[in-house]
Amino acid sequence: MTIHTQATRAESGIDAARGLQMYSQMARIRVFEERVNELYTRAIMPGLAHLYIGQEAVAVGVCAQLEPDDYITSTHRGHGHCLAKGAQPDRMFAELLGKEAGYCRGRGGSMHIADPATGNLGANAIVAGSAGVATGAAFSAKWRGSGQVAVCFFGEGALGQGVLYEVMNLAQLWLLPVVYVCENNLYNEYTHYRETTAGEVLARPAAFGMHAEQVDGQDVRAVFAAAGRLVTRARSGGGPAFLQCDTYRYRGHHVGDINRVFYRSKEEEQEWMTTRDPLARFGDWLCRLGFADPADLEACFVTARHEIETAAQFALDSPFPDASDVQRHVYA
Amino acid sequence: MPETAVRELTFAEAIREALAEELRRDPRVVVLGEDVAEAGTPFKVLSGLVEEFGTTRIIDTPISEAGFTGLAVGAAMTGMRPIVDIMFGDFLTLVMDQMVNQAAKIHYMSGGALQVPMVLRTTMGATRRSAAQHSQSLHAWVSHVPGLKVVLPSTPYDAKGLLKSAIRDQNPVVFFEDKMMYRLKGPVPLEEYTIPLGVADIKRPGTDITIVATSSMVQTAMAAAELLEQVGISAEVVDPRTTSPLDRDTLVDSVKKTSRAIVVDEGHERYGVTAEIAAVIADGAFYHLDAPVKRLGAMDVPVPFSPPLEDVTVPTENTIFDLARTLCGKA
């Protein structure tokens, strides 16, 4: 296994245009999630919302290495993956509000956004539930000779699920073009992963002889560089890989998880937010290299806020599905 | 080839022929499972396929049912038409998340954007002396789930035509083969044919009582109908062929004609297929019934190993015969 914590400028291959693009994408995700939080706490959004705030560098760093027709699968905490892979916030908000204009016509909601047009095979509300789908998409890509790669995003909570290891075994046996991206945000819901996970995370892929890397998931350049290596490797027939991204969930397990002191301290949260924030760190780097100045970074947020507000309004103004249509799409 | 060109094939041969024809017809079709290639499965149902189609189409997997079934779901979503082989129906428990939470729901949850055209072939049926973990008939479990189609062929002819339709279907289909029928012979036309999913078949017309039966219980019901004829009772045997979708009209119309019904199925009786079909009949033919709708399922007990114990847990031609005579007032 290889551990990369710092990506050099040359290694990351990020220039000014790419850098601002990635920063904008991270800003979009953060603003989107803040708006979700607001919609939820104002009781406008039904159901559950699991926010991706704090983990933006993982989705953006990985998806920036993917082609439009490459596949991803996502999780209950999936809004960031969807946006980073190309989903539009207006149809995402519409889905979150259960509207007909949503990506799933309101049938899926927050935890099930799928968008085949951008290679998104769906977020999944079963922990590790999409491991089979992602591996199968990679099997299909290899079998069809399409050159596509599949990325399976999952949290470290999925490390407790057997099906993940079943498909990792298959992927390594058959050298499938799939990258398993483990976002270790430290908490399986309300429990620290050290209380649930024996041994080391990277010992798991090692047991299958699978190439694995570990990166600082709050450093988008490191994620981007590692994802580039692993995606290129998979695409060129080198087989699957496992990428552990060490990250942090700023908010609760879901929006309603407000009182968190019983499982983690406010000091810990503050430390991650103030010293390792992925947007702040990447913004500093962009300014330090002269790729951007603070005004450019602020402009990314202004643009994102405008786009997100317009998108949210679109969704709020959209009609609900017709109840008489409830049985449509049970069967193809 | 004249339309009358018919051979006798075994149930297993009919299934193999359906697979071979669809593998030839559609390059997206692949077979995945444990020992499906050179071994041709322990039941030898797939013998010879790997010789024609190679190991890129007939693919041996690890003993990893959830893994390769999940993989098939993803492959089906991305342009392939996988057929997975789950050796014993009892192992359905290992793939339930992949079939119930993933395959069955992906089309609906995505608002129609994604499809999962796959087939899961598996077995059912007791009296093989295989005990409680290799003898169950769990088709009711999957029949309960919207988004899945469930097929239960009872003859070589039906097995071939229904399997070809299942492979061409755009939905996940669970296809149950009673392992006790693999050597059963029956006529199968040489010409290509398919049988649509969701159309029941009247296996034997009759006027006094309807016996609705599934899978191998159709064969048992046909034997019971022969016995009933000898005592002057004309039994109509109706085979739904698929429990999802269920051809309610044919079942109800038959009972409207005969006024009596027994439902026979090898799944456990409680909360089972017999209960659902009995409810459909009671609802649709209530004013035509001359007797309560009766059910014969497998006894609500884990399937025992010892032969004298196992034999009393499943419906037989004699239990059907006795119940039918009672219902017709000729006991």
Side-chain angles (χ1 to χ4, degrees), chain A residues 25-296:
Chain A
Q25 189 68 279
M26 291 164 71
R28 269 173 107 218
I29 294 170
R30 183 157 298 188
V31 174
F32 182 91
E33 294 292 62
E34 283 167 352
R35 190 73 168 93
V36 172
N37 187 51
E38 190 203 345
L39 288 167
Y40 188 86
T41 50
R42 286 171 55 207
I44 294 169
M45 180 186 155
L48 292 166
H50 307 82
L51 302 181
Y52 196 67
I53 294 174
Q55 302 181 210
E56 296 91 344
V58 178
V60 172
V62 171
C63 290
Q65 294 287 8
L66 298 179
E67 298 297 325
D69 67 343
D70 283 335
Y71 297 116
I72 65 162
T73 62
S74 176
T75 72
H76 58 287
R77 198 175 308 288
H79 305 161
H81 308 133
C82 297
L83 286 164
K85 193 62 175 62
Q88 294 306 309
D90 51 358
R91 292 188 64 199
M92 283 183 63
F93 275 125
E95 189 58 36
L96 266 54
L97 297 178
K99 301 298 185 71
E100 184 70 24
Y103 274 108
C104 310
R105 314 186 70 185
R107 272 70 170 173
S110 166
M111 296 193 285
H112 300 295
I113 294 175
D115 178 24
T118 58
N120 178 357
L121 297 176
N124 211 295
I126 304 294
V127 173
S130 73
V133 171
T135 309
F139 172 85
S140 162
K142 176 164 180 165
W143 203 91
R144 291 181 286 111
S146 69
Q148 291 160 291
V149 170
V151 168
C152 180
F153 287 105
F154 56 93
E156 87 292 337
L159 296 172
Q161 296 281 30
V163 70
L164 177 66
Y165 303 109
E166 293 197 25
V167 294
M168 283 172 63
N169 182 53
L170 287 165
Q172 186 64 38
L173 271 178
W174 297 342
L175 293 180
L176 303 181
V178 54
V179 180
Y180 298 97
V181 176
C182 176
E183 296 187 64
N184 184 358
N185 68 15
L186 300 182
Y187 293 93
N188 304 186
E189 280 199 345
Y190 316 116
T191 303
H192 196 280
Y193 89 104
R194 279 291 168 208
E195 296 174 46
T196 63
T197 312
E200 295 306 315
V201 174
L202 291 191
R204 289 154 167 80
F208 298 106
M210 186 181 290
H211 179 75
E213 299 191 14
Q214 178 177 11
V215 292
D216 178 351
Q218 305 308 82
D219 177 356
V220 73
R221 294 180 295 127
V223 175
F224 180 76
R229 285 190 294 275
L230 304 186
V231 168
T232 302
R233 186 176 174 279
R235 203 184 303 285
S236 59
F242 187 102
L243 178 62
Q244 177 181 344
C245 298
D246 296 319
T247 184
Y248 198 75
R249 187 187 80 203
Y250 284 9
R251 306 293 175 90
H253 165 59
H254 64 97
V255 171
D257 173 23
I258 308 271
N259 299 314
R260 301 186 285 271
V261 289
F262 74 93
Y263 67 88
R264 69 187 198 189
S265 68
K266 289 191 173 164
E267 292 73 26
E268 178 187 292
E269 293 183 355
Q270 278 305 314
E271 201 215 317
W272 278 88
M273 288 191 264
T274 54
T275 67
R276 303 179 69 175
D277 181 68
L279 278 144
R281 286 172 69 184
F282 190 44
D284 287 348
W285 184 83
L286 289 170
C287 292
R288 207 162 59 242
L289 267 72
F291 287 171
D293 59 34
D296 294 327

Side-chain angles (χ1 to χ4, degrees), chain A residues 71 95 103-105 107-109 112 114-116 120-124 126 128-130 132-141 143-144 163 166-167 169-171 173-174 176 325-332, chain B residues 27-30 32 56-57 59-68 70-75 77-80 97-98 101-102 104 106-115 145-149 170-171 244:
Chain A
Y71 297 116
E95 189 58 36
Y103 274 108
C104 310
R105 314 186 70 185
R107 272 70 170 173
H112 300 295
D115 178 24
N120 178 357
L121 297 176
N124 211 295
I126 304 294
S130 73
V133 171
T135 309
F139 172 85
S140 162
W143 203 91
R144 291 181 286 111
V163 70
E166 293 197 25
V167 294
N169 182 53
L170 287 165
L173 271 178
W174 297 342
L176 303 181
D325 211 22
V326 65
Q327 288 183 303
R328 204 166 151 200
H329 303 308
V330 177
Y331 293 97
Chain B
R28 300 170 299 174
V29 175
V30 295
L32 290 149
T56 57
R57 309 279 306 277
I59 303 166
D60 275 338
T61 66
I63 300 172
S64 205
E65 285 87 0
F68 69 75
L71 180 143
V73 174
M77 291 163 67
T78 54
M80 298 183 70
D97 184 63
Q98 301 309 317
N101 281 323
Q102 311 300 336
I106 280 166
H107 184 63
Y108 190 81
M109 288 196 306
S110 67
L114 293 164
Q115 297 184 343
V145 179
L148 297 179
K149 294 187 178 181
Q170 285 304 110
N171 300 282
S244 171

Side-chain angles (χ1 to χ4, degrees), chain B:
Chain B
M1 201 63 74
E3 216 169 292
T4 49
V6 168
R7 318 133 293 164
E8 290 269 312
L9 289 185
T10 67
F11 195 77
E13 287 164 345
I15 287 163
R16 186 184 311 142
E17 194 166 274
L19 291 168
E21 287 180 10
E22 294 306 301
L23 282 156
R24 269 176 225 131
R25 176 181 169 272
D26 187 343
R28 300 170 299 174
V29 175
V30 295
V31 174
L32 290 149
E34 295 153 10
D35 286 321
V36 293
E38 287 79 5
T41 79
F43 302 111
K44 302 299 171 194
V45 176
L46 305 188
S47 292
L49 291 182
V50 74
E51 281 77 7
E52 179 175 352
F53 300 102
T55 52
T56 57
R57 309 279 306 277
I58 312 295
I59 303 166
D60 275 338
T61 66
I63 300 172
S64 205
E65 285 87 0
F68 69 75
T69 302
L71 180 143
V73 174
M77 291 163 67
T78 54
M80 298 183 70
R81 305 185 82 86
I83 302 167
V84 298
D85 184 296
I86 300 293
M87 198 181 293
F88 286 88
D90 311 71
F91 310 160
L92 274 180
T93 55
L94 300 167
V95 304
M96 282 307 246
D97 184 63
Q98 301 309 317
M99 294 308 292
V100 174
N101 281 323
Q102 311 300 336
K105 295 181 174 50
I106 280 166
H107 184 63
Y108 190 81
M109 288 196 306
S110 67
L114 293 164
Q115 297 184 343
V116 189
M118 68 178 284
V119 176
L120 185 153
R121 288 180 46 251
T122 193
T123 57
M124 61 185 284
T127 69
R128 194 167 169 267
R129 316 316 183 201
S130 305
Q133 296 176 338
H134 282 69
S135 304
Q136 292 169 91
S137 298
L138 298 178
H139 47 290
W141 291 18
V142 279
S143 302
H144 186 66
V145 179
L148 297 179
K149 294 187 178 181
V150 182
V151 185
L152 297 149
S154 66
T155 66
Y157 175 84
D158 285 356
K160 183 178 175 187
L162 291 166
L163 182 52
K164 285 167 71 80
S165 292
I167 295 168
R168 297 180 194 186
D169 202 278
Q170 285 304 110
N171 300 282
V173 181
V174 186
F175 192 91
F176 284 91
E177 301 162 12
D178 190 317
K179 49 195 173 295
M180 303 306 289
M181 283 199 296
Y182 277 138
R183 290 180 194 163
L184 174 80
K185 283 193 168 181
V188 177
L190 273 168
E191 299 79 24
E192 158 130 40
Y193 68 97
T194 59
I195 299 171
L197 308 185
V199 179
D201 186 40
I202 297 174
K203 289 286 193 264
R204 174 193 171 111
T207 53
D208 297 329
I209 185 166
T210 297
I211 305 173
V212 180
T214 61
S215 186
S216 65
M217 290 297 110
V218 173
Q219 301 297 333
T220 309
M222 292 294 277
E226 291 290 323
L227 296 176
L228 289 164
E229 188 172 285
Q230 291 166 24
V231 295
I233 295 172
S234 165
E236 176 150 300
V237 177
V238 182
D239 176 4
R241 297 201 285 204
T242 56
T243 48
S244 171
L246 181 65
D247 180 358
R248 293 178 166 83
D249 290 346
T250 299
L251 304 177
V252 168
D253 288 348
S254 172
V255 180
K256 281 182 176 172
K257 183 178 72 177
T258 63
S259 306
R260 294 177 184 85
I262 299 173
V263 188
V264 193
D265 175 85
E266 214 183 319
H268 292 302
E269 196 164 286
R270 70 183 183 209
Y271 302 99
V273 163
T274 56
E276 174 69 17
I277 291 176
V280 165
I281 292 168
D283 190 46
F286 181 76
Y287 294 105
H288 300 263
L289 285 169
D290 288 338
V293 181
K294 300 299 278 184
R295 301 189 286 140
L296 283 173
M299 195 180 283
D300 294 321
V301 62
V303 179
F305 167 67
S306 180
L309 296 181
E310 184 178 27
D311 287 344
V312 300
T313 67
V314 292
T316 65
E317 60 192 65
N318 287 326
T319 58
I320 299 170
F321 172 77
D322 289 344
L323 184 57
R325 282 221 302 178
T326 304
L327 275 189
C328 293
K330 295 188 178 180

